[in-house]
Amino acid sequence: MFGIIILTLIMILLVVGLVIAAHQFRLLGKPYMSPVSTNISTTLDSVPTLFLPGYVGNRYSFGFLLRRLVNRYQANKSMVIYVDGRGKLRVVGQLAQYRPLIQVIFQDKRSRPQQQSKWLLFICQRLADQYGVATINLVGHSMGCITIFWLLTHHQQELPVAISRVVTIAGPFNDSEIARNTRGVEEYPNDSAGPRKRTAIYRALAKRVSAMPKGIKFLNIAGTISSGQQNDGQVSLNSAFSLRYLLRDPIIYYRELVIRGKRATHRLLHENRVVDAHIAKFIWNT
């Protein structure tokens, strides 16, 4: 009898846990507004910032980071944009005036940057046409960084908005595979001329980088787990920071940040409060 009671309690706790987890999962894909009403003090405060997840990314990818930006920096996750496999957009929420954050969720989890960049262009067109947006910021994690740069290098003439600031987190700019994990972390050395070995994605971006819109400011964040492991477990510092060579000519402002330690792994970089603080400082000068 006692064993049955214990088993019943365990089952109840499991069910309650699943219900709570499901509820939290739903909330992470919905707008989340700051309870604090704040007036715009600079033009930086009014620029929408879009967040692009990595390969097979979902609402968890940036969901908790966005909540922290709302709670600590009075930002407003006022809009979530779902993109289906045909590029159709479903917009949830309205655009806040103060520090508006926009979560982008691609429902085709295995779509590649070439396709995602076209969908990102659709989003920019929607923001410009229906919401009067003239300038945006972009934040990407992992493959999301490549999506951003594919937009900037391959669709720059079609962009209806200006790009002010770009944050890249663990971008695999010189990896041979930018989605699935490879057997080992690719760490091709960089020298004064750039990567000694240049992968297909790096070469594709390099061919078009001179046409990229001018005046964009960049913050490039990468992680290293330990002094003996110069990578975040999936993307090396060399690959992430090969971006500096791509931006050498059209560059206006480019800064690198290395996050170190156990919370600098590829999947935890966007769950790191040091990263939160640097993003806030960079996009809002907070």
Side-chain angles (χ1 to χ4, degrees), residues 7-23:
L7 182 60
T8 301
L9 288 174
I10 292 173
M11 293 298 294
I12 291 172
L13 289 174
L14 285 174
V15 170
V16 170
L18 289 172
V19 170
I20 292 173
H23 178 64

Side-chain angles (χ1 to χ4, degrees), residues 19-285:
V19 170
I20 292 173
H23 178 64
Q24 184 182 65
F25 183 74
R26 287 194 296 271
L27 290 179
L28 290 175
K30 293 184 177 182
Y32 179 67
M33 306 291 285
S34 172
V36 180
S37 179
T38 309
N39 294 324
I40 295 173
S41 57
T42 72
T43 55
L44 297 178
D45 289 332
S46 62
V47 177
T49 302
L50 282 67
F51 289 77
L52 283 294
Y55 185 65
V56 300
N58 55 35
R59 61 190 71 192
Y60 281 123
S61 301
F62 276 119
F64 292 110
L65 182 148
L66 290 165
R67 276 185 169 270
R68 294 193 301 273
L69 293 179
V70 171
N71 292 334
R72 185 161 186 176
Y73 301 99
Q74 293 76 54
N76 289 285
K77 180 191 169 185
S78 59
M79 185 177 287
V80 179
I81 300 180
Y82 293 88
V83 186
D84 73 12
R86 296 171 297 175
K88 184 178 179 180
L89 308 182
R90 180 167 69 90
V91 179
V92 180
Q94 295 294 326
L95 205 59
Q97 291 187 334
Y98 184 77
R99 296 185 178 178
L101 308 177
I102 301 174
Q103 182 181 27
V104 177
I105 299 177
F106 297 110
Q107 294 183 313
D108 180 356
K109 303 303 182 187
R110 289 176 170 76
S111 54
R112 293 299 185 117
Q114 293 86 340
Q115 182 60 67
Q116 289 186 359
S117 65
K118 294 179 182 178
W119 295 337
L120 181 54
L121 179 63
F122 294 165
I123 292 172
C124 293
Q125 291 167 341
R126 176 75 64 89
L127 292 174
D129 294 343
Q130 296 191 11
Y131 300 91
V133 172
T135 304
I136 62 171
N137 302 317
L138 295 166
V139 179
H141 174 253
S142 194
M143 195 184 78
C145 304
I146 308 302
T147 295
I148 289 172
F149 271 85
W150 206 268
L151 174 79
L152 297 179
T153 56
H154 289 73
H155 300 289
Q156 73 282 357
Q157 294 183 342
E158 305 164 78
L159 271 173
V161 296
I163 311 298
S164 177
R165 295 165 194 239
V166 171
V167 180
T168 52
I169 305 171
F173 293 104
N174 197 37
D175 276 25
S176 59
E177 174 54 68
I178 57 175
R180 302 178 182 87
N181 293 338
T182 53
R183 287 187 176 182
V185 179
E186 296 174 303
E187 304 190 58
Y188 305 121
N190 298 327
D191 57 29
S192 60
R196 293 179 189 174
K197 178 179 178 179
R198 304 183 180 193
T199 63
I201 190 65
Y202 185 94
R203 295 195 303 270
L205 295 176
K207 286 180 182 178
R208 304 288 294 265
V209 73
S210 62
M212 196 168 64
K214 304 300 187 289
I216 305 173
K217 295 185 177 182
F218 297 91
L219 172 62
N220 189 11
I221 302 173
T224 173
I225 299 173
S226 67
S227 58
Q229 188 174 348
Q230 297 299 293
N231 58 69
D232 62 15
Q234 294 184 36
V235 175
S236 69
L237 293 184
N238 282 344
S239 181
F241 291 158
S242 66
L243 178 61
R244 72 169 74 114
Y245 304 99
L246 289 172
L247 298 178
R248 182 178 291 172
D249 292 331
I251 186 172
I252 296 294
Y253 177 98
Y254 172 79
R255 180 186 165 205
E256 294 175 349
L257 173 67
V258 178
I259 304 297
R260 306 177 189 277
K262 294 180 180 179
R263 296 197 65 80
T265 64
H266 193 72
R267 297 183 183 277
L268 288 181
L269 277 170
H270 51 59
E271 304 303 336
N272 190 307
R273 283 166 174 75
V274 176
V275 172
D276 299 351
H278 280 277
I279 290 175
K281 176 71 174 176
F282 181 66
I283 63 177
W284 299 312
N285 199 27

